[in-house]
Amino acid sequence: MSEFFRKNRKLYRNRQKGVIGGVCAGLADYFEVDVKLVRILAIVCLIFTLQVAFIAYWVGYFVLDVDPNSLKNKSGKLDARLHSTHERKAVYNGIHDRFSKVEERLRRLEAYVTSPSFKLSDEINKL
């Protein structure tokens, strides 16, 4: 259950698994359930709450970024053509997230190296 509440998990649209816009596939990836279950749930919601479900889907389509992993081709490289600003933004957000993680690790490393406990440990090791 602790995996469910990971901080670094983000909600994206998944173009590779998606049928219309990848919103249901993105929700399935986020909640780690089968995409068919999410699609069935979306259809049931569409039947009972026609306008609300329809609007919610399209809001999700325009608000959610495309999963950066779904922008890769079969060889694992990024597609050369990014057709929309959403795709460019998704690639940018993926790169930004990676650099943010590296920056956080460097800050923690710097804080440890400049701390008095590190200096004390270094002096003890010199003895």
Side-chain angles (χ1 to χ4, degrees):
M1 192 67 172
S2 64
E3 288 291 320
F4 184 76
F5 293 106
R6 291 183 305 196
K7 290 183 180 179
N8 59 356
R9 224 168 47 166
K10 298 207 180 221
L11 180 60
Y12 292 113
R13 287 187 298 123
N14 191 333
R15 277 191 343 178
Q16 289 178 337
K17 295 181 190 175
V19 173
I20 297 175
V23 176
C24 290
L27 286 170
D29 289 345
Y30 183 78
F31 290 112
E32 297 174 356
V33 295
D34 187 26
V35 70
K36 292 177 185 176
L37 178 69
V38 176
R39 287 183 184 142
I40 290 170
L41 193 66
I43 290 171
V44 169
C45 288
L46 187 64
I47 290 170
F48 289 113
T49 62
L50 179 66
Q51 295 164 341
V52 176
F54 185 75
I55 291 170
Y57 186 88
W58 286 107
V59 166
Y61 179 79
F62 289 110
V63 170
L64 296 177
D65 294 328
V66 177
D67 184 9
N69 296 326
S70 69
L71 297 176
K72 295 178 182 176
N73 58 19
K74 293 179 182 177
S75 65
K77 295 182 180 179
L78 284 176
D79 285 338
R81 293 184 243 162
L82 299 176
H83 300 291
S84 71
T85 57
H86 293 295
E87 293 170 342
R88 288 188 289 274
K89 188 176 178 184
V91 170
Y92 169 77
N93 286 338
I95 293 170
H96 185 284
D97 289 343
R98 289 180 187 167
F99 278 108
S100 295
K101 290 175 187 175
V102 169
E103 180 183 13
E104 180 61 32
R105 289 180 66 193
L106 284 173
R107 286 183 184 193
R108 282 187 273 144
L109 178 67
E110 181 184 16
Y112 173 70
V113 169
T114 58
S115 69
S117 64
F118 179 78
K119 292 176 184 175
L120 178 64
S121 174
D122 190 40
E123 291 297 323
I124 290 173
N125 289 337
K126 286 181 183 179
L127 295 177

